[in-house]
Amino acid sequence: MAQFDPRRQPTRFAPHLLTAAAALSVAMLAGKVYQPAIAAEVPELTSEQQASLEARAFATAGAPAGLETPEAVAVQIRRGETLEQAILRTGVAAEDARAVAATLAGANLGDLRAGLKFETAIARPRGGMGDAKLIGLTMRTGPASQVTVSRSFDGALKLRALDEKVTHETVVARGKVGASLAGSAGEFGATAAIIRRAAQALSGKLDIRRDVRGSDDYILVFDRSVTENGRTVGTGDLQYVEIRGQSFYRFKPAGAREFAYFDASGKNMRTTAMRAPLSSFRRVSSNFGVRTHPISGFRKMHQGMDYAAVTGTPVVAPADGVVVEARRWGGYGNWLRIRHANGLESGYGHLSRYASGMRAGQRVSQGQVVAYVGSTGASTGPHLHYEIWRGGRRINPAGIRTSEGTTLAGADLTAFRAEKARIDRIIAAGGERREVAPPVTAVAAQPGLRPARG
């Protein structure tokens, strides 16, 4: 299997170049189609051939008579504004804007809501007198699809829908951690969700924030869908992670509700408590024990651990559990308490806000974001106050012993070994690629629509 590097993608022309060049390319094509000496049927162009032809036309053709060279103008529909009104803001005539909006209505795009962005190619009149002309428009209708409106050689508006070819890849991202794992793996298309999953998988053995160094090697294996111009339009879950000699495979045992991560021997690395409720923090600003209170100045017992962190830093559940409280509680400010197995409960104070759905009775999973760091209540600055309770009494969070899950056996172990062998083959090959080429949908030109005159 040939290796590939997802960072190396072929150079593609930007969508607005296609928009601006479409009318010019049609004119070139028309000159060939209507030569009387040609009797053979002209073969249909592929999307790649048409894109190349349009780009060459755009590069060599002059501006329309009396107009400057078309320029790309980005437009966003404002609140309470129609598509026609948004197009009018580019400086084109009302008749022009109305004709383009009517053409797009033929694409059945549904409700064009406020916030939608699209690209236009606008030619301004030379000397600044008169209305501008809309030469083309490109609107993205999905992660890998778009529609364009352009003018044919006779001035008619032509509507075309194009689905980009999408490649489904299993990416093997490997290298040095460098400044951050997110930054290094991001070059391979790894998203923030992939990095969070890696942190969760390693949490029983490593703290990515404190234990991993820039010189450390890493390997991440995950699925992604990427367009032919290199845009990632979707990612799957993390299948494998390896850092500092720790490696874990994603696997779902028979009857399990969700996937978990296992080492090479089939041992579950899921723990009852993670080393910290934050994947990113500046420092432990106060430990469990007697201290001088920063506000009152009195020495008293501090019954938790404080993590100095930036406001808005995600707080994650250290283990599966059920939310008991999510309310304002005196000096704790915004307070959250979660009940876990084995008589343990965790508490979080001074939160800026709660994650969506956090209320009493809500079930949460280990590693799930439950709240965000803040400085509410009696606080001298942004930090997380973290507590662990056992049998109704606060205990030192640093002293919690973590227990690892079970080791796979029988049919589950056999299935795991097969999955492990599959992932190992992908790592050895440097990745895997599966191409899917959606058809190009050509929408007929609208012959009755003409550009505004004048």
Side-chain angles (χ1 to χ4, degrees):
M1 185 180 299
Q3 295 192 13
F4 72 95
D5 188 339
R7 295 174 295 183
R8 296 178 181 175
Q9 297 292 339
T11 302
R12 301 290 177 187
F13 298 102
H16 68 262
L17 290 179
L18 302 183
T19 303
L24 301 173
S25 64
V26 171
M28 293 177 64
L29 291 173
K32 294 181 180 180
V33 172
Y34 292 106
Q35 292 292 333
I38 300 177
E41 181 179 354
V42 179
E44 183 177 353
L45 295 176
T46 65
S47 59
E48 290 83 0
Q49 290 171 330
Q50 187 160 350
S52 177
L53 183 61
E54 289 174 350
R56 290 200 304 271
F58 181 82
T60 59
L67 299 175
E68 301 286 350
T69 302
E71 59 177 315
V73 178
V75 182
Q76 183 174 16
I77 299 178
R78 297 171 179 172
R79 185 180 298 275
E81 188 177 53
T82 65
L83 174 63
E84 183 178 332
Q85 291 169 334
I87 295 173
L88 270 174
R89 287 192 282 107
T90 65
V92 302
E95 185 180 350
D96 226 11
R98 186 163 51 252
V100 174
T103 302
L104 282 169
N108 298 319
L109 300 178
D111 186 16
L112 301 179
R113 299 178 181 274
L116 176 69
K117 298 178 181 179
F118 56 92
E119 189 92 12
T120 62
I122 303 297
R124 309 290 178 188
R126 291 177 182 168
M129 300 298 292
D131 295 314
K133 297 291 185 184
L134 189 143
I135 306 302
L137 179 148
T138 296
M139 180 180 294
R140 185 158 293 285
T141 55
S145 61
Q146 64 183 26
V147 294
T148 63
V149 175
S150 58
R151 297 195 185 280
S152 63
F153 65 95
D154 62 351
L157 292 172
K158 180 180 180 181
L159 178 66
R160 185 179 64 158
L162 175 65
D163 291 328
E164 297 178 72
K165 183 170 65 178
V166 175
T167 300
H168 300 297
E169 303 173 341
T170 300
V171 177
V172 177
R174 64 195 312 162
K176 299 289 185 183
V177 171
S180 71
L181 179 61
S184 179
E187 297 182 11
F188 295 86
T191 61
I194 293 294
I195 303 303
R196 285 196 299 270
R197 182 65 77 182
Q200 293 169 13
L202 293 164
S203 61
K205 296 294 183 181
L206 293 174
D207 185 324
I208 286 183
R209 169 67 172 75
R210 296 191 294 182
D211 299 335
V212 176
R213 300 177 179 86
S215 59
D216 290 335
D217 293 315
Y218 73 88
I219 300 177
L220 302 178
V221 178
F222 58 93
D223 291 330
R224 77 162 180 166
S225 298
V226 59
T227 65
E228 53 189 325
N229 65 0
R231 275 189 315 105
T232 298
V233 294
T235 57
D237 204 352
L238 179 72
Q239 297 186 36
Y240 175 83
V241 56
E242 178 182 336
I243 299 180
R244 292 183 65 85
Q246 303 292 336
S247 59
F248 305 106
Y249 297 80
R250 179 177 179 263
F251 178 71
K252 184 178 181 181
R257 293 189 302 173
E258 58 185 27
F259 287 88
Y261 290 88
F262 299 80
D263 67 9
S265 67
K267 190 174 185 180
N268 188 353
M269 291 293 102
R270 190 177 180 90
T271 61
T272 57
M274 294 194 297
R275 297 175 65 175
L278 300 174
S279 60
S280 175
F281 58 93
R282 291 172 174 169
R283 60 189 174 88
V284 175
S285 54
S286 185
N287 283 299
F288 185 92
V290 178
R291 66 166 186 175
T292 300
H293 195 276
I295 295 178
S296 68
F298 294 106
R299 286 185 61 78
K300 58 185 299 186
M301 184 68 180
H302 182 238
Q303 302 188 93
M305 292 180 66
D306 288 350
Y307 295 89
V310 176
T311 296
T313 300
V315 178
V316 299
D320 295 351
V322 178
V323 175
V324 178
E325 295 178 309
R327 63 184 178 90
R328 193 83 177 185
W329 189 24
Y332 286 94
N334 291 330
W335 165 258
L336 179 70
R337 185 160 59 100
I338 301 173
R339 180 178 296 122
H340 309 286
N342 303 320
L344 293 175
E345 294 184 352
S346 57
Y348 315 83
H350 310 305
L351 305 170
S352 60
R353 61 188 177 94
Y354 305 104
S356 177
M358 287 303 111
R359 60 181 64 88
Q362 176 67 41
R363 290 191 173 275
V364 296
S365 301
Q366 184 182 47
Q368 179 180 341
V369 175
V370 294
Y372 300 88
V373 170
S375 187
T376 56
S379 170
T380 57
H383 73 283
L384 174 70
H385 175 78
Y386 178 54
E387 297 184 353
I388 293 291
W389 303 48
R390 174 178 285 153
R393 298 183 59 184
R394 295 178 178 88
I395 61 175
N396 188 351
I400 291 294
R401 293 181 179 273
T402 61
S403 60
E404 297 178 350
T406 58
T407 300
L408 296 172
D412 281 336
L413 181 58
T414 300
F416 168 75
R417 286 172 175 168
E419 175 65 4
K420 175 183 178 297
R422 183 189 71 84
I423 294 174
D424 287 342
R425 287 194 297 270
I426 292 174
I427 295 174
E432 189 174 74
R433 172 172 290 174
R434 303 171 299 283
E435 292 189 357
V436 177
V440 175
T441 305
V443 183
Q446 309 295 312
L449 297 175
R450 292 290 187 269
R453 300 185 181 276

